[in-house]
């Protein structure tokens, strides 16, 4: 039976491949990306995150069956923690009511093998606390001391931790999971 999905980061890479696979299987897919898609949203900003949620609510008629959070960047820059962690978390938290109204709802966050690589402790602590300004400052400090490579792995480790904490707390049949970068085999 066809389902309605929302895929972030749908203009390229894993998001584009996931969108193509889901459409090939007969599902309705709403796409979100920074520059191209049904919804154009900058997930590095609170305004962009709110616009994504509002736009999805309007386009989906108040319900989604699944959300696939693929949007991500890999820069030696605080933008990476803003999009990869805070953007994904805000997307899933904001879309939770639409998922609750959906049929057999699911949420997936695309992770990375980098989530098991070394991380920046200050960046991880700030992300775990949900403190975006502190996380941005910690990311900037890591870049400034020549450890910008830790920003990406920290962003992916932080969102993986968030999924592990949020999934058991999700009421009803709306489990969340994370995936390493390989297209899922949904039916």
């Amino acid at each position: 039976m066809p389902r309605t999905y929302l895929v972030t980061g749908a203009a390229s890479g894993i998001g584009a491949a996931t969108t193509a696979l889901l459409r090939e299987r007969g599902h309705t897919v709403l796409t979100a990306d920074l520059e191209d898609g049904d919804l154009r949203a900058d997930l590095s900003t609170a305004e962009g995150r709110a616009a994504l949620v509002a736009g999805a609510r309007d386009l989906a008629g108040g319900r989604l069956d699944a959300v696939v959070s693929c949007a991500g960047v890999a820069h030696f820059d605080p933008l990476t923690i803003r999009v990869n962690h805070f953007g994904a978390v805000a997307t899933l938290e904001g879309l939770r009511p639409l998922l609750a109204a959906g049929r057999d709802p699911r949420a997936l966050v695309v992770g990375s093998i980098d989530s098991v690589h070394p991380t920046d402790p200050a960046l991880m602590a700030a992300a775990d606390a949900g403190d975006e300004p502190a996380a941005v400052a910690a990311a900037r400090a890591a870049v400034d001391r020549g450890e910008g490579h830790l920003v990406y792995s920290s962003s992916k480790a932080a969102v993986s931790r968030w999924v592990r904490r949020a999934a058991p707390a999700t009421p009803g049949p709306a489990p969340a999971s994370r995936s390493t970068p390989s297209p899922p085999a949904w039916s």
Side-chain angles (χ1 to χ4, degrees):
M1 175 176 265
R3 296 167 56 79
T4 301
Y5 289 79
L6 182 136
V7 178
T8 67
S12 63
I14 295 166
T18 300
T19 297
L21 175 69
L22 292 170
R23 286 182 172 157
E24 178 182 300
R25 294 187 177 178
H27 300 291
T28 299
V29 181
L30 303 176
T31 59
D33 207 279
L34 182 60
E35 305 218 5
D36 191 25
D38 301 312
L39 298 161
R40 293 182 182 179
D42 181 353
L43 297 183
S44 73
T45 69
E47 298 79 16
R49 298 166 193 158
L52 172 72
V53 171
R57 186 174 33 255
D58 292 344
L59 284 177
R63 77 163 197 65
L64 287 168
D65 299 316
V67 174
V68 183
S69 179
C70 291
V73 297
H75 302 297
F76 288 13
D77 187 273
L79 176 71
T80 300
I81 191 71
R82 287 184 179 276
V83 173
N84 296 1
H85 175 69
F86 291 100
V89 169
T91 295
L92 293 173
E93 287 180 341
L95 296 175
R96 190 174 289 201
L98 278 71
L99 285 168
R103 182 177 41 85
D104 195 23
R106 298 286 183 262
L108 177 104
V109 177
V110 175
S112 169
I113 189 63
D114 260 45
S115 66
V116 299
H117 289 179
T119 59
D120 180 82
L123 182 48
M124 292 298 296
D128 286 347
D131 187 344
E132 189 168 357
V136 166
R140 174 61 51 215
V143 170
D144 290 348
R145 68 174 182 272
E147 295 183 317
H149 63 284
L150 296 177
V151 177
Y152 180 75
S153 57
S154 296
S155 74
K156 290 301 189 171
V159 79
S160 292
R161 279 189 193 178
W162 180 84
V163 168
R164 286 192 299 274
R165 285 192 314 266
T170 302
S177 63
R178 62 187 165 86
S179 171
T180 55
S182 59
W186 290 309
S187 52

